Amino acid sequence: MLWKNLRAVKLYSRDVDASDDDDGRASGEWGCTNLEHPSTFDTLAMDPNAKKKIIDDLERFLKRREFYKRVGKAWKRGYLLYGPPGTSKTSLIAAMANYLKFDVFDLELSSIYDNGELKRRNRSILVIEDIDCNAKVRDREAEDQQSEEAKGKVTLSGILNFIDGLWSSFGDERIIVST
């Protein structure tokens, strides 16, 4: 388990050409680089009570694998962070990743080829930034019309299914953060 503490946390994105992938988790169009964000829970400027609640929640999540299995729930946890730019949402995500030693997958929805790409990431923090502002995500009606441009793109239905539907149980130890 010592390797876990020494291992560099990775940031995966479809926008990253460099691949410093020592775990073989990058694939296809996904590249990665070391997450060198300096934020930790020790350095994060945040209400100490809120910080403690988040740390306790993360610790409880990690310890409850068997509980999730026993009650028939997907072993995942979700957070919705909101606030104007500059309110440390990204720093909180980096602090979580550095604390857990979980890799981060930046899910830029407009660049993800299809819903299947959302389902392949375990023991990770999956980040969907500005989820409320993404005009590139198709709705169900557009799904039915399947234009050539729309084929193979992420749908709102696919995102919701991945977060809390049948596909949410695909994979383990996943934290989903939407901003």
Side-chain angles (χ1 to χ4, degrees):
M1 199 87 132
L2 182 61
W3 70 270
K4 179 182 168 190
N5 295 327
L6 299 176
R7 185 185 158 282
V9 175
K10 304 290 184 184
L11 174 62
Y12 291 82
S13 176
R14 290 181 56 102
D15 298 332
V16 174
D17 291 331
S19 194
D20 192 13
D21 186 23
D22 52 8
D23 291 340
R25 297 179 81 183
S27 61
E29 300 293 319
W30 290 88
C32 74
T33 188
N34 288 342
L35 178 68
E36 295 178 357
H37 197 290
S39 186
T40 66
F41 282 114
D42 291 334
T43 63
L44 190 63
M46 183 178 186
D47 176 317
N49 292 328
K51 190 185 304 188
K52 182 176 179 351
K53 282 183 182 180
I54 291 171
I55 292 170
D56 290 348
D57 188 63
L58 292 170
E59 288 292 330
R60 185 173 44 254
F61 169 75
L62 289 178
K63 293 175 185 173
R64 297 181 95 190
R65 179 182 194 145
E66 290 306 313
F67 169 78
Y68 279 83
K69 190 175 186 177
R70 188 175 68 247
V71 299
K73 292 282 200 179
W75 190 19
K76 66 178 176 64
R77 187 77 178 110
Y79 294 91
L80 175 62
L81 308 179
Y82 60 92
T87 55
S88 297
K89 296 180 295 289
T90 299
S91 294
L92 176 57
I93 294 167
M96 292 167 69
N98 287 326
Y99 182 77
L100 297 171
K101 298 297 185 200
F102 275 25
D103 292 330
V104 176
F105 284 83
D106 178 21
L107 300 178
E108 176 62 45
L109 296 179
S110 62
S111 70
I112 294 177
Y113 180 69
D114 63 25
N115 293 326
E117 284 194 56
L118 298 174
K119 303 167 188 166
R120 300 183 185 120
R121 312 295 170 205
N122 298 326
R123 194 166 175 76
S124 303
I125 297 176
L126 308 176
V127 180
I128 306 171
E129 292 193 81
D130 301 322
I131 194 167
D132 60 331
C133 298
N134 199 314
K136 299 276 186 179
V137 177
R138 296 180 302 121
D139 62 22
R140 197 176 296 238
E141 290 164 10
E143 252 179 272
D144 295 338
Q145 295 172 359
Q146 288 280 325
S147 70
E148 282 305 308
E149 182 180 315
K151 280 186 183 175
K153 286 292 184 185
V154 174
T155 62
L156 180 58
S157 173
I159 293 167
L160 295 174
N161 194 305
F162 166 72
I163 291 172
D164 205 33
L166 285 174
W167 281 106
S168 69
S169 61
F170 190 92
D172 275 337
E173 213 170 4
R174 183 182 296 148
I175 294 175
I176 303 161
V177 180
S178 298
T179 69

